[in-house]
Every structure is written in C-alpha cells, then in structure tokens.
Amino acid sequence: MMVRPNSCDIFCAVVDNYGDIGVCWRLARQLANEQGLQVRMWVDDLRSFGKLCPELDEELAEQLCRGVEVHHWGDELTVVEPADLVIGAFACEVPKSYAEAMALRQPKSVWLNLEYLSAEDWVEGCHQLPSPHPTLPLSKYFFFPGFTEKTGGLLLEHDLLVRRDVFQSDAAAQLTYWQSLGVPSRVEGELRVSLFGYENEAMQALLSEWEQGSYPVTCLLPEGRALPQVAAHFGVTSGKAGEVWQRGNLRVHVLPFVEQEQYDLLLWACDINFVRGEDSCVRAQWAGRPFIWQIYPQHDGVHLEKLEALRRLYTAGLQDEMAQAVQNMWWSWNGGQGVATAWRDFIAQREDLARHGAGWAQQLSRNSLALNLLDFFRRTE
Ligand code: TRH
C-alpha cells in the first residue's frame, strides 16, 4: 500500500476565461513544489495558460515549467504510464486509452474529478462519492472544494498568509509596489479598489457614484472583459494597460494582466477587491479584505443560488446591518438594482468587514485542498 503518491497527472480542458487553468496551475505547483510529487499537466489550450505564466512557450508540445511537466493535450494522447494520482479537472474526460491503462495498472491509479467550487449545502454530501466506470474495473471519485470542514477545502500555499501579513504590515513594501505600477502615493481619505470582472449592467452607475463621491477612489483595473465598459465611461473607444483616466473623484489605472503571484499583491494592497469566477474570489478571501464577488453567469440563473450560498456562509454570525450590506452589494453587482446605495452602505461597514475578512481567512485556512487530496489518496489507494 502506498501512503503517498509519487506522481500526479492533471487533465485540464480550458472552457473559457482563466479559472480552469488558474486552479489547475496553482494545484500543480503546490503538489510539485510543496509536496514533492512529480506532476504532469495535460492542457488543451496553452494560450490562456501563457497569460498566467509568461515563460511558457505556447509552441512546445512538452516543457518543464516551475517544477511541473506541461504537455499540450492535442487530439491524440500517446499512451503514457498513468500516474499514482490522476485528476480530471472540472468534469473533463481523460482519454480512453489512458483510462484503460489506469485500470490495468497495479496498483490502480486513484482517479478523481476536481469539481467547481460551491458553498451550497449539497456539496458536503457529494464530496468523495465514487462513480464506477461504465465498462472498466475502475472508479472515479468526486472531489469538491469548499468552505466547510466536510468539503475538500481550498487551495492555499503553505506560506501565503504569512507572506500576506508581512506585506500588509510593511508600508515601504506597499509603496514600492504602487510605484512599480506607476500609481502615486495615497492621499488623505483615498480608497483603493481593484476591479476584476465581466461585463456588468451596474458598471456605469458604480463608476458615476465613485466619480461624484466625497472621497478619492483609485480603481485598479486589470485588462480584460470589464475594460471596454470602463473605457466607454471615460469616452475612450479602447483602453490598454498603462492608461490612466480621471474624472471627478475617480481615477482609473489600467493594469496589465499579470502572473498569479503578482495579482495576489494587488489584492493584498487594495482596500476593497472586486473579483469574479472562482479562483480570484478565493484569492480575495485570502487577502482578508472586504470583497465583492461577480459570479460566473449561467443561463438558467443557478449561479444566483451559488452566490447566495457563499454570501450566507460568509456573513453568518455578523450583525444584521453588515450582513445586509454585503447581500445588497453582491446582489446589485450581479444583476440587481441600486448599486450606488448598496456601495454607500457597504463602505460604511468597511472597517468591520475588514476585521471579519481577516478572521474568515484564518478560519478557512484550516482546510487545505492539497493536503486533503493526499489524505484522500492514502485512504483510497
Ligand atoms: O477567469 P474567470 O472568469 O474563470 C471562470 C471561473 O473559474 C468560472 O468558475 C468557470 O466556470 C469559468 O471560468 C469557465 O475567473 P477566475 O476563476 O477568478 O480566474 C481568473 C484567474 O486569473 C485566477 O487564477 C487569477 C488569475 N489572474 C492573474 O493571474 N492575473 C491577473 O492579472 C488577474 C486579473 C487574474
């Protein structure tokens, strides 16, 4: 019996955006660099991956990148010896020949599907359930990340919170960071906000609120899907990294899309973070600052249930006024009404929310996804 896996294969089919590859890349590096596993990633789209990892060569079929073997997963996968631990990310199917090789292997690989993150109640009941393969003597297990003890937990690098604390208590390091972005020092009463999101009906109203507000707002806007709307607000047809727009009390700095570690610094340095999807939402929680989540929209509206599930969990035990402020702000940012009022109420709770955010991150940090995966392997193998 193997106590620990020596090797791991991660299969990632990129749907769109950066969440799928972002999560897989983070997990791969943690297993390789913190846990010492030999990790191979099989990725069908190296272009999105290249945005997160600039040194990746998109033309190469195979390369070693930050301790991880990265393979371009084309139409054919030359049969390889399956790893001890095999992870299909987000319901992506492993190739048939690979599944057959897993079934023949002695001992068999431990095979699991890493699911999307959700705070909904049903997740606890489905975490770790097996699903027998229809034809092969092999089971795949569902592994659900999550926010409670009975789920698979969240991805967290072993030293992240320590590095965050050092950065957040070091004014000189923060100044150097802002200078590296070309952002001037803070002025009295200024609020710094990062804004990573999708297209949003509430965008114009929020930008106007900031512009006409009573205190200066500096908005750090990574290049991407939210950029055209913000550019349009300033009468610009297309914006790019490096541009700065100012009107009233609002100044926007357009930032380049940077590698994941650099994005963490932005979240740690800002007072409030607007995040989206899955992985940036988790990173904002590790930052410990108040955050506003724009969930990845689904046609049938089920995303709003997911939104509310995390909102409930995150605000459980908070005073009514605070919980309500978070709810109104998150809902108005996800298709609801009244974003300007919601923003004012949210900001009024800012200091208490920051205190809550720090405790929330601490509480979540007790449940590490990478360690849970290894523990699951030990019990299943
Ligand atoms: O890009 P996303 O919208 O991805 C989404 C979600 O994961 C969603 O759940 C999924 O169903 C859909 O894709 C297909 O948002 P997310 O998850 O926050 O991923 C963004 C990644 O990009 C995350 O790893 C953080 C990273 N990032 C950087 O590395 N640099 C940057 O400058 C920025 C802004 C983000």
Side-chain angles (χ1 to χ4, degrees), residues 16-19 52 116 196 198 257-258 260 276 278-280:
D16 62 0
N17 302 311
Y18 304 106
L52 298 175
Y116 283 112
F196 180 45
Y198 311 112
F257 193 94
V258 289
Q260 285 177 324
R276 73 184 204 193
E278 173 167 330
D279 192 51
S280 59

Side-chain angles (χ1 to χ4, degrees), residues 264 267 273 275 279-291:
D264 278 334
L267 297 171
N273 294 303
V275 284
D279 192 51
S280 59
C281 178
V282 173
R283 303 314 280 186
Q285 291 172 67
W286 295 140
R289 299 272 158 95
F291 70 100

Side-chain angles (χ1 to χ4, degrees), residues 65-359:
C65 194
R66 301 203 201 169
V68 175
E69 243 183 64
V70 177
H71 293 254
H72 183 227
W73 178 16
D75 297 337
E76 291 291 320
L77 177 83
T78 356
V79 179
V80 287
E81 170 70 16
D84 300 330
L85 175 64
V86 178
I87 301 173
F90 312 119
C92 93
E93 286 298 329
V94 306
K96 190 165 165 274
S97 59
Y98 187 93
E100 286 163 358
M102 271 197 284
L104 289 175
R105 194 180 186 272
Q106 279 307 328
K108 286 195 181 98
S109 305
V110 172
W111 179 24
L112 48 90
N113 191 63
L114 178 65
E115 296 288 336
Y116 283 112
L117 174 63
S118 171
E120 290 163 296
D121 292 343
W122 58 263
V123 165
E124 289 187 349
C126 295
H127 177 50
Q128 301 184 355
L129 285 184
S131 160
H133 192 281
T135 52
L136 297 168
L138 198 63
S139 274
K140 173 161 78 171
Y141 295 86
F142 297 106
F143 198 94
F144 280 87
F147 300 88
T148 59
E149 268 175 31
K150 291 187 185 150
T151 68
L154 298 171
L155 281 172
L156 172 65
E157 296 76 11
H158 75 284
D159 58 350
L160 188 88
L161 298 191
V162 174
R163 286 191 284 116
R164 176 202 68 183
D165 289 345
V166 169
F167 182 79
Q168 287 183 339
S169 55
D170 184 345
Q174 289 171 49
L175 192 64
T176 309
Y177 171 69
W178 290 122
Q179 283 167 350
S180 75
L181 298 180
V183 178
S185 314
R186 282 174 185 264
V187 296
E188 182 77 25
E190 178 191 330
L191 195 73
R192 297 223 155 154
V193 176
S194 77
L195 180 56
F196 180 45
Y198 311 112
E199 302 75 13
N200 195 323
E201 285 170 22
M203 183 71 82
Q204 296 304 333
L206 185 63
L207 295 175
S208 299
E209 168 66 18
W210 288 347
E211 194 180 307
Q212 291 152 22
S214 57
Y215 51 90
V217 174
T218 300
C219 170
L220 292 313
L221 174 72
E223 271 183 321
R225 288 176 58 177
L227 176 58
Q229 271 191 300
V230 181
H233 179 82
F234 286 92
V236 179
T237 37
S238 68
K240 60 178 186 316
E243 292 192 39
V244 182
W245 304 313
Q246 166 110 40
R247 205 160 62 204
N249 250 338
L250 169 63
R251 188 176 59 218
V252 173
H253 287 256
V254 184
L255 304 181
F257 193 94
V258 289
E259 55 189 349
Q260 285 177 324
E261 290 79 358
Q262 291 295 316
Y263 179 56
D264 278 334
L265 292 185
L266 180 68
L267 297 171
W268 298 349
C270 283
D271 305 308
I272 312 269
N273 294 303
F274 285 74
V275 284
R276 73 184 204 193
E278 173 167 330
D279 192 51
S280 59
C281 178
V282 173
R283 303 314 280 186
Q285 291 172 67
W286 295 140
R289 299 272 158 95
F291 70 100
I292 294 137
W293 182 30
Q294 186 179 13
I295 192 167
Y296 184 77
Q298 286 166 273
H299 297 301
D300 44 12
V302 289
H303 60 288
L304 295 176
E305 283 167 36
K306 273 178 81 171
L307 178 79
E308 185 55 5
L310 179 59
R311 201 283 306 166
R312 262 200 306 272
L313 214 54
Y314 175 67
T315 61
L318 294 187
Q319 286 170 353
D320 285 354
E321 216 181 342
M322 246 163 101
Q324 195 62 55
V326 173
Q327 184 176 38
N328 291 348
M329 188 61 217
W330 285 23
W331 277 81
S332 64
W333 194 238
N334 284 275
Q337 300 292 311
V339 77
T341 316
W343 171 255
R344 276 175 238 147
D345 294 345
F346 188 83
I347 280 302
Q349 303 292 332
R350 181 186 144 201
E351 284 176 15
D352 286 340
L353 281 173
R355 264 189 293 279
H356 171 60

